[in-house]
Amino acid sequence: MRCSPATATVARVPRSAKVPRIDRPAFRCAVCLGPVHVKIFQCPSCRHPVSFEHIACANCSTELAFDSSRIEMTRLASHQSCRNREIIGCNWCVEGADWYCGSCRLTRTIPNLGSTRNIMLWRLMEEAKRRLLYDLSRLKLPLASRTGAELAFDILSDEVGPIVTGHLSGLITLNLAEADDVERESRRVTFREPYRTLLGHFRHEIGHFYWDLLVDGTTFQAPFKLIFGDQAQDYQAAINSYYSRADRSYDRSGFISEYATSHPWEDWAETFAHFLHIVSTLDSLAGLPLALDERARQTLTDPYLESDFEALLALWMPLARSINELNRSLGMSDAYPFDISPAVKGKLHLVHMAISAFRAQQSLAA
């Protein structure tokens, strides 16, 4: 179950509680990833392609560390590793005299490390969070609200009681069980969802955080109400009504997912997550040896900062069909089991406009 940015009871630990392994407060701005956009990471020793998550080169065994300030994989020997590298395989290096990397410092509460299973699942959680933070930095979005509420994460185990995944005033709470593939698939089937991933959870909940920053109290609030609906309607009543529905059919032409129909806040969060899916996947496409026309190559120079929304969608639609066909050829389910209708396209466009407008304002202020 996912909750609203205003009414969910998400944290089971007080904000003031001492957090193990976290020695400094969260950053007020996004982790700096520098001005260079790298599509394919390479081993600094042998130039063999490596993935964003790798801690060592599969070709020459060089130990790797991701340098967030330069957006590149470097030799671990040249940097100070994050203290969580030994425990959960964090591959980011630290800056200055810090003990933890910019990603791990945002985790306010971690699960009980007395369980091997908890450590394994926490590793997957942090891996997905690093991918999220990469997205946010590429979009040039800050990690604090206009009121100064800093983004932080509580990763909690339901061993001690029910944990509700949600967002409240800059704190994102995630149920550790969502990192368990079997448990997550069981919940996906129970909730009749076509798609449920760990990274998807992170991208959805961060959407609630950015509604406060990009929409609430801005010139986008009126367009939001027109396109998404009135967010002033009782959230808890809307969520209760959603989960008590006997008929699970919904207007697929108006919403990206069934859950998006529950409340305008959830519609925004679902749409925001899909926008991240789109630009991140297009960024990966940019590193592939494909024959593309000039306009497509221009868009793929940096999909995160592309100003032309139509250009993004023009690339995304055939790509989504293609990756679905590739999955089917391997006997797998569709990677992107969604249809972008004209109404959903309009919602995605509003997300794009809100992000672009915020970025422009920040640029002028600088």
Side-chain angles (χ1 to χ4, degrees), residues 193-332:
E193 298 173 341
Y195 173 97
R196 189 182 183 97
T197 68
L198 193 50
L199 183 56
H201 276 304
F202 275 99
R203 286 173 171 168
H204 173 98
E205 296 306 334
I206 204 68
H208 287 304
F209 176 77
Y210 285 114
W211 186 89
D212 294 338
L213 181 70
L214 304 176
V215 178
D216 190 26
T218 73
T219 56
F220 287 98
Q221 192 153 351
F224 173 89
K225 185 175 181 179
L226 178 65
I227 297 173
F228 287 89
D230 186 2
Q231 78 281 359
Q233 62 181 277
D234 188 298
Y235 175 80
Q236 199 57 55
I239 291 298
N240 292 341
S241 174
Y242 171 78
Y243 282 110
S244 65
R245 291 179 191 170
D247 180 7
R248 307 303 293 186
S249 62
Y250 67 99
D251 179 11
R252 295 178 181 273
S253 66
F255 300 90
I256 192 65
S257 69
E258 183 184 357
Y259 192 62
T261 68
S262 61
H263 188 276
W265 273 333
E266 299 302 343
D267 194 5
W268 163 271
E270 288 285 270
T271 305
F272 191 93
H274 279 260
F275 181 78
L276 293 188
H277 293 337
I278 290 170
V279 293
S280 178
T281 306
L282 288 178
D283 193 56
S284 298
L285 174 67
L288 301 179
L290 302 176
L292 300 168
D293 61 36
E294 182 58 33
R295 184 63 187 91
R297 287 196 297 271
Q298 181 182 338
T299 298
L300 294 182
T301 299
D302 192 343
Y304 290 96
L305 300 182
E306 173 59 62
S307 61
D308 186 345
F309 176 76
E310 292 293 340
L312 285 173
L313 263 291
L315 272 175
W316 173 250
M317 300 300 277
L319 174 61
R321 288 194 297 270
S322 297
I323 59 178
N324 285 343
E325 289 299 330
L326 287 172
N327 269 28
R328 293 173 189 177
S329 297
L330 293 170
M332 300 170 65

Side-chain angles (χ1 to χ4, degrees), residues 45-151:
S45 297
C46 68
R47 314 313 298 173
H48 188 76
V50 297
S51 296
F52 179 71
E53 295 80 10
H54 279 173
I55 61 174
C57 175
N59 185 55
C60 70
S61 300
T62 295
E63 289 190 291
L64 304 171
F66 179 72
D67 185 341
S68 61
S69 65
R70 299 168 62 187
I71 322 182
E72 67 179 18
M73 284 295 178
T74 62
R75 295 179 182 85
L76 176 61
S78 303
H79 296 274
Q80 176 65 41
S81 65
C82 175
R83 280 209 170 182
N84 282 336
R85 185 182 181 98
E86 292 183 7
I87 302 172
I88 56 171
C90 175
N91 70 339
W92 283 27
C93 57
V94 302
E95 298 179 13
D98 289 311
W99 287 4
Y100 299 98
C101 71
S103 175
C104 287
R105 284 202 302 272
L106 296 180
T107 302
R108 194 190 71 155
T109 308
I110 63 174
N112 177 12
L113 301 186
S115 163
T116 301
R117 177 178 181 273
N118 283 0
I119 295 175
M120 177 188 70
L121 298 181
W122 178 38
R123 177 187 184 119
L124 296 174
M125 278 280 184
E126 293 291 347
E127 187 174 279
K129 178 158 68 71
R130 290 193 294 273
R131 176 70 69 169
L132 170 71
L133 294 177
Y134 178 86
D135 290 337
L136 301 181
S137 188
R138 290 287 299 274
L139 287 169
K140 299 186 184 300
L141 290 175
L143 302 183
S145 70
R146 283 178 278 114
T147 63
E150 299 170 329
L151 180 65

